[in-house]
Amino acid sequence: ISSTRSLAAQQVQGKPGLKESQSFNSVFLKTHKTGSSTVQNILFRAAERRNLTVAFPLYSYQFAYPQRFSRAFVDDLPAGAAHFNLLCSHMRLDVGEAQALMPAHSIFLTILRHPVQTFESVFHYYRNMVPAFQALSNHSEPLLAFLEASAEFYDATDSSNGLARNPMAFDLGLNASQEEGPSGQWMKELERLNRTFQLVMIAEHFDESLLLARELLGLEMEELVYVRLNVRHKEKAAMSKGLAQKIQAWNWFDVQLYRFFHTVFWHKVERYGYMRMKQELDAFRALLRETATGCLAGDPVGPEALTDDLRPWQPGSVTILGYSLKQNLTYAQYSSCFRMVLPEIPIRLIRVARSTGLTGLLLF
Ligand SMILES: Nc1ncnc2c1ncn2[C@@H]1O[C@H](COP(=O)(O)OS(=O)(=O)O)[C@@H](OP(=O)(O)O)[C@H]1O
């Protein structure tokens, strides 16, 4: 921890720094199990580079989830800062509260992933935590068992079950526990969200999404480099069609949400220009390969092979992989590679940073 602290301090003192005009104000609604930690990590690094002020949760790493977001859940504005620039930790969205906290015209972003993959990931990650899933933790086919008898396990009135049905819609503040009603009802909600969010990224088109975000936030391509964070070790082969259908039927609102914003996304790509997108993708993917070769010791590995700083939090029900860095990196290389592989929840670092007054020097 102390080496991290001094690294951050040295970087702040020694880095070239970007002009004030290159700052941005943004709300990134961090949906669960959609690749959102990878996006958040990119935003944290961009914010640090520009010396921007991040709105951190008062306690823990999320904003009193699953309660609806409130300004009361945010830690104080640091002395000397005029306003927050970035809000990007897990929350259940309340648009009005987020707008009231952030400067006018802040850019709203979020990310959606295919509902089948999202729910599968949510289910296994939160199997021991979400009440609706807990009774199934020792079952041999827990996901199938849940979907076949959901009424037995799912209590819609318990907000701790928010992730147990339509988790993306829940995070976006929609009423996600209900049965599917007439399309007129939920279409209004989706259109309202479409007016709030300048960009809804799609995890299956992650690189294209980042290029669109780059334009909105005024980032440089070099700032988009990433490695996939929070990857789950998967033992089983592809899931059956039947199970995928059951997941979609249960998560009907997430299916509509994803379909709607998938279409919106491709309209945005069209407006951006297919040729331009293709050329930039080629350059970006070359940069990603170069970065991985330059930083990483190898493929993602289990927690036992990682140092404390770089070990992602383990939920117990599944193994979450992380990255070891190459040996013999220069100081500058280490500094940027370290930030790119740092997991979402190094709560220790937040606490140390706060207790030593170094919040402005540390990302987390
Ligand atoms: N770049 C990119 N593109 C597509 N998918 C990605 C990416 N980065 C991470 N992932 C996958 O997203 C899952 C983790 O999501 P989150 O980081 O949102 O999880 S969390 O809610 O913050 O715990 C986790 O999914 P599963 O492995 O299926 O569990 C990651 O593998």
Side-chain angles (χ1 to χ4, degrees):
I1 290 168
S2 59
S3 67
T4 312
R5 195 187 309 155
S6 58
L7 268 181
Q10 286 172 42
Q11 208 198 31
V12 165
Q13 283 154 18
K15 80 178 171 198
L18 291 170
K19 283 189 241 93
E20 187 68 19
S21 61
Q22 286 174 283
S23 74
F24 57 81
N25 299 318
S26 182
V27 176
F28 171 62
L29 193 268
K30 188 176 188 297
T31 43
H32 284 81
K33 309 317 295 180
T34 54
S36 66
S37 304
T38 308
V39 178
Q40 182 195 49
N41 179 283
I42 292 168
L43 295 174
F44 275 148
R45 282 182 280 139
E48 186 186 39
R49 190 158 177 243
R50 291 166 169 74
N51 210 12
L52 302 184
T53 305
V54 179
F56 284 110
L58 195 49
Y59 304 109
S60 167
Y61 62 96
Q62 49 190 11
F63 293 109
Y65 193 86
Q67 293 180 61
R68 265 181 210 279
F69 178 71
S70 154
R71 278 164 283 178
F73 303 154
V74 181
D75 206 352
D76 294 342
L77 194 61
H83 57 77
F84 292 113
N85 303 102
L86 178 62
L87 176 66
C88 67
S89 297
H90 279 307
M91 67 165 74
R92 182 164 190 224
L93 183 65
D94 182 306
V95 177
E97 280 292 293
Q99 282 169 336
L101 178 79
M102 297 294 290
H105 311 298
S106 292
I107 292 163
F108 275 65
L109 311 170
T110 190
I111 182 166
L112 301 178
R113 184 184 185 192
H114 193 286
V116 170
Q117 276 71 48
T118 304
F119 191 73
E120 196 218 2
S121 182
V122 162
F123 183 86
H124 291 297
Y125 193 88
Y126 292 101
R127 214 158 72 198
N128 299 336
M129 290 170 260
V130 167
F133 303 157
Q134 274 167 345
L136 293 143
S137 51
N138 295 321
H139 201 283
S140 59
E141 288 284 349
L143 179 51
L144 184 62
F146 173 74
L147 293 165
E148 281 181 341
S150 52
E152 198 181 306
F153 301 109
Y154 176 70
D155 174 3
T157 62
D158 181 351
S159 68
S160 302
N161 279 333
L163 289 173
R165 187 172 203 184
N166 299 306
M168 296 185 288
F170 182 79
D171 283 348
L172 283 159
L174 305 177
N175 182 3
S177 62
Q178 63 196 347
E179 295 301 322
E180 183 163 7
S183 61
Q185 269 170 24
W186 47 259
M187 263 313 269
K188 274 196 205 118
E189 305 276 11
L190 301 187
E191 278 157 9
R192 191 175 47 76
L193 285 176
N194 195 27
R195 288 192 294 275
T196 301
F197 284 88
Q198 278 88 338
L199 177 63
V200 175
M201 301 185 221
I202 299 289
E204 285 71 25
H205 307 291
F206 196 81
D207 295 345
E208 292 89 337
S209 297
L210 289 181
L211 289 168
L212 293 180
R214 174 176 78 130
E215 187 174 63
L216 277 174
L217 300 178
L219 305 181
E220 291 165 19
M221 191 181 281
E222 291 67 30
E223 295 182 280
L224 303 179
V225 292
Y226 70 90
V227 290
R228 283 176 178 235
L229 296 176
N230 252 347
V231 171
R232 178 169 44 113
H233 174 68
K234 298 177 192 95
E235 274 155 16
K236 280 188 130 185
M239 93 169 51
S240 73
K241 249 186 164 173
L243 182 56
Q245 277 163 359
K246 283 190 168 59
I247 293 178
Q248 296 195 73
W250 176 245
N251 295 286
W252 68 270
F253 208 169
D254 275 5
V255 170
Q256 302 300 350
L257 184 68
Y258 183 81
R259 277 196 194 137
F260 180 92
F261 282 106
H262 193 270
T263 306
V264 170
F265 177 82
W266 283 108
H267 284 147
K268 292 202 159 95
V269 174
E270 192 181 347
R271 228 174 298 146
Y272 191 81
Y274 288 120
M275 280 312 290
R276 175 182 174 204
M277 179 58 86
K278 180 164 179 342
Q279 281 164 3
E280 291 181 3
L281 269 183
D282 290 345
F284 181 43
R285 288 185 174 149
L287 192 60
L288 286 178
R289 286 191 292 275
E290 204 181 290
T291 308
T293 311
C295 286
L296 306 180
D299 290 335
V301 289
E304 65 294 338
L306 293 165
T307 56
D308 287 353
D309 277 353
L310 298 184
R311 187 178 304 125
W313 187 75
Q314 301 293 318
S317 47
V318 286
T319 301
I320 302 300
L321 307 179
Y323 297 87
S324 288
L325 296 180
K326 264 188 162 165
Q327 300 286 315
N328 305 325
L329 295 173
T330 63
Y331 167 73
Q333 286 168 333
Y334 181 81
S335 175
S336 65
C337 297
F338 176 79
R339 284 164 164 70
M340 187 176 67
V341 300
L342 200 60
E344 186 204 348
I345 317 178
I347 298 174
R348 309 181 305 295
L349 291 185
I350 301 175
R351 295 214 175 115
V352 170
R354 293 231 168 94
S355 62
T356 54
L358 282 170
T359 330
L361 302 184
L362 277 171
L363 284 176
F364 299 100

